[in-house]
């Protein structure tokens, strides 16, 4: 689990400045927004604490993440605009199965990630239970849930975002994000 700072959160259609000399990667994710706070929420009750779901893009600057004597994973995910969310907040009851949604993303029209939320390591209810076992969740808390295979760092050769790239991310039943990258 990684934290994100408020300054990293942005809207669904944005221009994102790439850090100079970096290796910025993409990670499409389902985002759960807490509506009803809770502490020590049981997994079976977790969905009742969710106000809605959105599309998220967990942009990650890999050099910053791995810099120093100890990795700084959250810091590399927290540059301005590195957490676009949107385009809508969809209540779980509006989806046929909120535990099984297709998600993916494409760079300049080339699909780079595609998966289903049923294959996440930790489903939304498990994340809510795990987080709320440690800290009270508050209305408005935003939880990025995990990403399918296909990130740039995991490719051979590795691939990262470049100025001029357009990244379109989607989650079934929710919509899409569109980020354009500049130097």
């Amino acid at each position: 689990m990684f934290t994100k700072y408020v300054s990293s959160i942005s809207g669904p259609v944005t221009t994102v400045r790439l850090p100079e000399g970096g290796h910025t990667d993409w990670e499409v994710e389902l985002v759960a927004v807490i509506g009803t706070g809770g502490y020590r929420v049981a997994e079976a009750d977790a969905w009742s604490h969710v106000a809605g779901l959105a599309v998220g893009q967990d942009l990650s600057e890999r050099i910053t993440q791995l810099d120093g004597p100890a990795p700084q994973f959250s810091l590399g995910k927290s540059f301005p605009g590195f957490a676009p969310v949107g385009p809508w907040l969809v209540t779980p009851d509006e989806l046929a199965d909120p535990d099984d949604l297709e998600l993916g993303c494409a760079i300049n029209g080339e699909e780079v990630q595609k998966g289903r939320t049923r294959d996440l390591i930790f489903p939304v209810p498990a994340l809510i239970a795990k987080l709320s076992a440690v800290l009270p969740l508050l209305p408005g808390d935003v939880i990025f849930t995990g990403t399918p295979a296909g990130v740039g760092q995991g490719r051979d050769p590795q691939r990262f975002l470049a100025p001029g790239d357009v990244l379109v991310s989607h989650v079934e039943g929710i919509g899409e994000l569109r980020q354009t990258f500049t130097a």
Side-chain angles (χ1 to χ4, degrees):
M1 295 183 200
F2 305 104
T3 57
K4 287 233 180 228
Y5 297 96
V6 172
S7 60
S8 69
I9 296 174
S10 64
V13 180
T14 59
T15 299
V16 179
R17 185 178 164 273
L18 294 167
E20 189 175 327
H23 288 160
T24 302
D25 208 342
W26 56 87
E27 297 183 39
V28 63
E29 300 195 18
L30 177 68
V31 170
V33 178
I34 298 299
T36 303
Y39 184 50
R40 298 183 178 149
V41 175
E43 217 173 301
D45 300 327
W47 278 115
S48 69
H49 290 264
V50 176
L53 301 169
V55 183
Q57 184 49 248
D58 183 19
L59 297 169
S60 300
E61 203 306 287
R62 301 299 188 193
I63 292 174
T64 300
Q65 284 187 322
L66 302 174
D67 192 29
Q72 300 297 315
F73 293 108
S74 292
L75 186 61
K77 295 173 173 287
S78 295
F79 285 87
F82 266 40
V85 176
W88 311 106
L89 192 61
V90 177
T91 59
D93 65 320
E94 294 180 74
L95 302 164
D97 183 354
D99 287 307
D100 185 20
L101 303 169
E102 181 182 281
L103 72 164
C105 64
I107 299 171
N108 304 325
E110 176 192 347
E111 183 177 83
V112 291
Q113 283 188 286
K114 184 176 181 181
R116 299 201 68 84
T117 57
R118 70 173 175 242
D119 298 323
L120 291 172
I121 295 170
F122 300 106
V124 171
L127 285 171
I128 290 171
K130 180 80 170 173
L131 285 166
S132 71
V134 175
L135 57 107
L137 294 176
L138 302 174
D141 281 347
V142 175
I143 302 171
F144 281 68
T145 62
T147 196
V151 299
Q153 182 172 309
R155 294 172 176 270
D156 186 17
Q158 291 183 336
R159 177 179 177 185
F160 300 103
L161 293 162
D165 282 346
V166 176
L167 177 65
V168 177
S169 310
H170 73 276
V171 176
E172 172 188 3
I174 299 173
E176 69 179 33
L177 308 176
R178 179 177 297 270
Q179 276 58 60
T180 303
F181 296 88
T182 62

